[in-house]
Amino acid sequence: MQLCHNSRRLDLMIQRSFFYTVTVCYFAAIALSATHPAKADPLGNPQRGQYLAVASDCVACHTAPHGQPFAGGLAMHTPLGVMYSTNITPSLSAGIGHYSLEDFDKAVRRGVRKDGANLYPAMPYTAYSYLTDQDIADLYAYFQKEVAPVDKKGPVTALPFPMNIRFSMSFWNMLFLNGKPYQGDATKSAEWNRGAYLVQGATHCGTCHTHRGFLMQEDLAHPLSGASLGTWYAPNITPDTVSGIGSWSDQDLTEYLRTGRLHGKAQAGGGMGEAVEHSFSHMSSGDLNAISVYLRSLKPVSDPNDHASSRFQQGHDLNPSVELRGVTPILDHNDNTASGAALFMGNCASCHGASAQGSKDGYYPSLWHNSVTGASRGDNLISTILYGVSRSVEGRQAFMPGFGGKSGDAVQLDDSQIARLSNFVFKTYGRPDVQVTPQDVALIRKGGPASPLLLLSRVGMAAGAILVLILCAVVFVIRRHKTINVV
């Protein structure tokens, strides 16, 4: 839910469609209760485990581009370095085939591998700690009995010193790991409790949508109020009417989770697009409704930088071609480069329309009254231009090519061009006070800002080593002085 990742592969769609269809049909026929679970069956229910794996979106992180499901190898760019997901198929040589139920429980809910090494919280075990004993048994049964083993190990995570000292995560866990399954609130409805369980646990929404503190822990004082994921920004999803999604109805939120789009308001891209494609769109209507009920009951969190109107209401239609016809020059006055309007007409208008109104069927969204162009920061517009959008729901693909220079991109735009295009779109169709610089684009192109924690931890360790040396020197001098006095 972070930190978040490149768009999933289309070549896995067919083999997964049957997987998901059977799961949802099965789950629709049974009643689950996270708030009053029965005594855990250690044998587990693989069909229920399959649904939980879908809700937890395990496939998104544990499947590399063009790779086999759950075989790992996906590179995840984090503020601390590149982490690679592991093989969680039941392979005895490369996966978790040799894990016992207890081993699996420790890994999923406590972040500790079978060999005793700590996992990094890029694997959201802090959220999965809310899963019940029965959930763990069911997930274990599914991965051991129903997932095909893949005897292939992927790249090994090798973070720079001192983050490569996994034992340090033990102290992090002491500070920030909940370590208790979800406890229901008897004053709330069963639907609310189910939503709370899913949001806090299986779907791990806070992993992406909650800001992280200095030690990369979730800021639980302001949950779900928005957070940077390096390239994309996971927005505020509290019920604040301006900064969050308070203007959405329950039906709006359910529709967005199921399809990844809400006409005239928002489109899912990046990690959220993946979550919709691989997880939310395959969950039961009851669970989506429960998530909506819970999210809309939370305390609203307001961003003081926001205007009086929400990000879904910014901008209006305008056809820039009128200005380009002899009134405003196509080339910039200063350096003869294409203006933002010219870049828009040459690269965007063919799909989004000359007035950025989008297509009538909504396949190409409007660029005004759009959460990306109405945002208070430029991350998601820059990332959309750089990386494009690709998600498939119920056999229908939503696709926009990127312009960042990847194979398959129609056009490659440099950092200055993307900055000019972004500024034109914000000024014309969205929030006009947002400014994008070429440096902003370059930073997102390389994966986002690095965490200062790495440098500060090295400085701290160096300072500690110097202090130890000084103390040793003082002790040596004192002892020598005493020896001389005795002689």
Side-chain angles (χ1 to χ4, degrees):
M1 253 195 150
Q2 157 180 243
L3 274 128
C4 291
H5 324 297
N6 297 329
S7 295
R8 279 291 71 79
R9 284 75 46 216
L10 295 178
D11 56 357
L12 294 176
M13 287 171 51
I14 297 177
Q15 57 182 292
R16 291 177 186 161
S17 60
F18 179 75
F19 166 93
Y20 291 133
T21 302
V22 172
T23 300
V24 174
C25 290
Y26 172 84
F27 193 77
I30 63 175
L32 294 180
S33 173
T35 56
H36 299 91
K39 185 177 180 181
D41 176 5
L43 297 179
N45 183 322
Q47 286 75 31
R48 187 175 185 277
Q50 184 180 35
Y51 184 85
L52 287 168
V54 170
S56 302
D57 203 12
C58 302
V59 73
C61 288
H62 288 279
T63 306
H66 309 295
Q68 294 173 280
F70 304 115
L74 177 70
M76 297 177 286
H77 297 270
T78 78
L80 299 176
V82 180
M83 300 183 187
Y84 294 94
S85 62
T86 55
N87 184 325
I88 57 171
T89 72
S91 167
L92 291 172
S93 60
I96 59 172
H98 59 300
Y99 273 48
S100 67
L101 175 58
E102 182 181 3
D103 296 331
F104 184 79
D105 182 19
K106 287 181 179 179
V108 174
R109 292 199 292 189
R110 294 164 54 187
V112 180
R113 298 188 316 206
K114 181 179 175 64
D115 62 3
N118 288 90
L119 299 174
Y120 295 108
M123 190 282 198
Y125 61 85
T126 52
Y128 295 156
S129 67
Y130 287 93
L131 299 180
T132 65
D133 293 345
Q134 187 63 62
D135 292 335
I136 296 299
D138 293 339
L139 281 167
Y140 180 74
Y142 167 66
F143 279 106
Q144 295 292 348
K145 297 177 181 179
E146 301 296 330
V147 173
V150 179
D151 299 324
K152 180 181 179 181
K153 291 185 177 181
V156 177
T157 297
L159 296 182
F161 178 83
M163 298 304 164
N164 61 337
I165 304 175
R166 288 179 178 263
F167 180 72
S168 63
M169 292 307 305
S170 299
F171 302 101
W172 191 92
N173 289 339
M174 291 174 61
L175 293 172
F176 305 119
L177 178 60
N178 168 63
K180 296 179 181 179
Y182 176 75
Q183 301 296 316
D185 186 340
T187 67
K188 303 291 186 180
S189 68
E191 188 176 38
W192 184 96
N193 275 287
R194 178 63 178 172
Y197 159 79
L198 288 168
V199 170
Q200 296 175 27
T203 62
H204 56 280
C205 301
T207 301
C208 290
H209 289 275
T210 299
H211 173 73
R212 292 184 179 264
F214 173 71
L215 295 177
M216 305 303 292
Q217 81 282 9
E218 292 182 24
D219 177 12
L220 299 182
H222 303 91
L224 305 176
S225 60
S228 173
L229 305 178
T231 49
W232 299 83
Y233 186 85
N236 185 325
I237 56 172
T238 73
D240 186 86
T241 55
V242 175
S243 300
I245 56 174
S247 62
W248 291 21
S249 65
D250 287 344
Q251 184 178 359
D252 287 341
L253 183 51
T254 300
E255 176 71 11
Y256 179 76
L257 293 175
R258 186 179 64 82
T259 66
R261 55 178 285 189
L262 189 59
H263 185 65
K265 290 184 178 179
Q267 300 280 328
M272 189 62 200
E274 293 175 355
V276 169
E277 178 176 347
H278 302 297
S279 180
F280 290 116
S281 64
H282 303 285
M283 293 174 66
S284 67
S285 297
D287 275 352
L288 295 183
N289 290 334
I291 290 173
S292 176
V293 167
Y294 173 72
L295 287 178
R296 287 173 48 75
S297 74
L298 296 177
K299 179 181 178 181
V301 180
S302 176
D303 183 345
N305 296 319
D306 280 336
H307 294 308
S309 58
S310 76
R311 62 182 182 271
F312 312 110
Q313 299 172 328
Q314 301 287 329
H316 56 86
D317 62 325
L318 177 68
N319 188 337
S321 64
V322 176
E323 296 186 17
L324 287 174
R325 291 172 183 157
V327 179
T328 301
I330 294 178
L331 299 181
D332 187 270
H333 290 290
N334 299 319
D335 55 9
N336 267 353
T337 55
S339 66
L343 289 168
F344 172 82
M345 293 301 296
N347 298 284
C348 311
S350 59
C351 292
H352 292 283
S355 300
Q357 76 276 13
S359 58
K360 289 183 178 181
D361 62 358
Y363 181 86
Y364 299 109
S366 164
L367 297 186
W368 38 274
H369 291 184
N370 186 306
S371 62
V372 171
T373 60
S376 59
R377 50 192 297 157
D379 306 45
N380 288 351
L381 179 58
I382 296 171
S383 290
T384 301
I385 296 172
L386 279 173
Y387 308 121
V389 174
S390 180
R391 68 174 186 276
S392 295
V393 177
E394 298 177 347
R396 297 182 60 187
Q397 184 185 18
F399 178 76
M400 169 187 158
F403 294 84
K406 303 188 305 297
S407 60
D409 287 354
V411 177
Q412 179 174 353
L413 300 179
D414 61 30
D415 296 343
S416 295
Q417 290 173 315
I418 292 177
R420 287 196 299 275
L421 175 57
S422 298
N423 287 328
F424 169 79
V425 170
F426 274 121
K427 183 179 179 180
T428 310
Y429 302 115
R431 186 163 172 164
D433 59 328
V434 178
Q435 291 293 313
V436 175
T437 68
Q439 291 74 26
D440 295 332
V441 180
L443 186 62
I444 289 182
R445 192 190 288 270
K446 76 173 187 178
S451 171
L453 182 59
L454 182 61
L455 175 61
L456 291 175
S457 61
R458 288 176 175 175
V459 171
M461 293 184 71
I466 293 172
L467 180 60
V468 169
L469 290 174
I470 292 174
L471 291 175
C472 290
V474 170
V475 171
F476 175 77
V477 170
I478 293 174
R479 286 184 177 180
R480 183 176 183 186
H481 181 69
K482 288 182 178 180
T483 302
I484 293 174
N485 288 340
V486 171
V487 174

